[in-house]
Amino acid sequence: MSAVRMLPLAVAALFAVAGAHAQQEWPQRPVRIVVPFAAGSSPDILARIVNDKLSARIGQPLIVDNKPGAGGNTGTDQVSKASPDGYTFLLSVNAPLVYNTILYKNLPYDPFKDLVPVSLAATTPNVCVVSNSMNVDSVKGWLAAMKQNPGKYNFASTGNGSISHLGVELIKLKTQSFAVHIPYASSGQAVTAIIQGDVQYACLPPVTVMPQAKAGRLKALAVTSAERSALLPDLPTLRESGLPDIQAVPWFAYMAPKGTSPEIVQRMSREIAAVLKDPETQKRLHTAYFDGVGSTPEALGKFMGEELRRWKPVIERAGIKADN
């Protein structure tokens, strides 16, 4: 074939390569962020705070898609089976990403195999709150009331196996007290149940409980973090209140379906970290009691493994099951 005849073919091939490259550019359309909890929940609030800046950085709208159900398993499972094309991500929490692998016998997905880490986004200390009807003003009084009245009180959580559930189960184990667990679909519903007197206490995210505590509708007693929170400096830790070895902190992480391009995962991770370092975003996060993190995918994967090793013996020792 002559050089003259080969030239059009070479040009055509060049345009084909250029077209394929253009198709591979990401993102070219809106990106879906699945939150496996109801609107108004902590991960939902976090997603909406981050989305404003993150959308501008990637150049496409980010759509929050709330898929609550089964303690976060429903939405998490959907993402694990979604197309790994870079247009579906998950913003989830402790239980669906780690604890439920221990709590459920037949979990429909494996977060360590069916999802890939993107970024550890944020943490927040849970706040232990009690109903005004309990007539207690301190952790000491709260624990005394529970021990003196076994079975009289109910406690709320954001679902079986959630950190709000496991944290209280750990408290019960350490204090040899008993109370009935009542799971709710969201922290907002759990707080409403405390105010109405359907349950008497809970350890829940501050973004939902602190406005009610400040309004006098319930009492905030302590935080579940290892150290006092700079966002809640007036609240003691459970350790300060006489309960050692209690640390139960909610964390929030972005994940993607297995098979998602490593380049897209790394890009998303970098953009999330940049947004979390933005002063305006930090101010909004702190207003909602979030501490922004922004990790690499590798760091998140390592963290999830550490969480599994830390909580597995606690869950097994306490005999906690998904239907407790």
Side-chain angles (χ1 to χ4, degrees):
M1 185 180 292
S2 69
V4 174
R5 293 181 62 187
M6 289 179 64
L7 183 59
L9 294 175
V11 172
L14 182 62
F15 276 107
V17 171
H21 177 72
Q23 290 177 1
Q24 291 171 3
E25 289 181 357
W26 176 90
Q28 296 183 335
R29 54 186 170 86
V31 176
R32 185 170 64 125
I33 307 294
V34 174
V35 173
F37 295 93
S41 62
S42 293
D44 177 75
I45 293 170
L46 176 61
R48 295 176 193 279
I49 291 174
V50 173
N51 273 10
D52 289 347
K53 297 283 185 180
L54 187 56
S55 176
R57 291 191 66 89
I58 69 171
Q60 288 289 346
L62 288 162
I63 300 169
V64 175
D65 188 2
N66 297 98
K67 296 290 184 181
N73 289 347
T74 300
T76 304
D77 182 43
Q78 287 185 18
V79 174
S80 76
K81 294 175 173 59
S83 173
D85 57 8
Y87 291 95
T88 299
F89 288 86
L90 173 75
L91 179 55
S92 195
V93 297
N94 316 44
L97 295 181
V98 174
Y99 311 151
N100 288 356
T101 62
I102 312 165
L103 294 161
Y104 287 79
K105 290 183 178 179
N106 298 302
L107 198 64
Y109 63 92
D110 185 335
F112 293 92
K113 295 180 180 179
D114 302 328
L115 297 167
V116 293
V118 178
S119 178
L120 179 62
T123 63
T124 186
N126 267 348
V127 177
C128 294
V129 297
V130 296
S131 165
N132 290 331
S133 64
M134 285 194 73
N135 296 315
V136 297
D137 297 302
S138 66
V139 172
K140 183 178 180 180
W142 167 44
L143 298 179
M146 285 197 294
K147 293 191 73 172
Q148 292 167 9
N149 300 279
K152 177 181 179 180
Y153 301 118
N154 302 328
F155 75 93
S157 80
T158 55
N160 288 311
S162 65
I163 195 65
S164 59
H165 175 203
L166 298 184
V168 174
E169 291 290 352
L170 188 55
I171 291 170
K172 288 166 55 180
L173 189 66
K174 295 291 183 180
T175 59
Q176 297 184 333
S177 59
F178 177 77
V180 178
H181 173 220
I182 309 294
Y184 290 87
S186 70
S187 52
Q189 292 180 12
V191 170
T192 298
I194 297 172
I195 294 171
Q196 293 177 343
D198 298 327
V199 296
Q200 286 68 49
Y201 70 91
C203 295
L204 297 167
V207 67
T208 52
V209 299
M210 291 311 297
Q212 304 300 333
K214 290 176 180 178
R217 298 188 183 96
L218 47 75
K219 294 176 182 176
L221 302 181
V223 292
T224 60
S225 50
E227 306 293 338
R228 285 206 185 204
S229 169
L231 306 177
L232 297 160
D234 295 331
L235 286 180
T237 65
L238 289 171
R239 180 180 298 172
E240 289 178 83
S241 305
L243 274 177
D245 303 323
I246 301 289
Q247 182 181 347
V249 177
W251 49 266
F252 309 83
Y254 285 91
M255 307 287 287
K258 180 183 179 182
T260 302
S261 163
E263 291 78 14
I264 291 176
V265 169
Q266 291 290 344
R267 165 86 188 279
M268 190 68 157
S269 180
R270 290 194 302 270
E271 301 295 7
I272 291 168
V275 169
L276 293 172
K277 292 176 182 176
D278 175 75
E280 183 180 339
T281 302
Q282 287 184 342
K283 184 177 180 180
R284 292 183 65 192
L285 289 172
H286 291 169
T287 299
Y289 304 100
F290 291 111
D291 283 310
V293 181
S295 76
T296 64
E298 296 77 15
L300 173 56
K302 180 181 178 181
F303 174 77
M304 288 172 60
E306 292 169 348
E307 279 284 280
L308 179 63
R309 289 188 291 274
R310 186 164 76 90
W311 280 98
K312 185 176 182 179
V314 173
I315 293 170
E316 291 177 343
R317 187 164 60 246
I320 304 170
K321 302 295 182 183
D323 57 353
N324 283 167

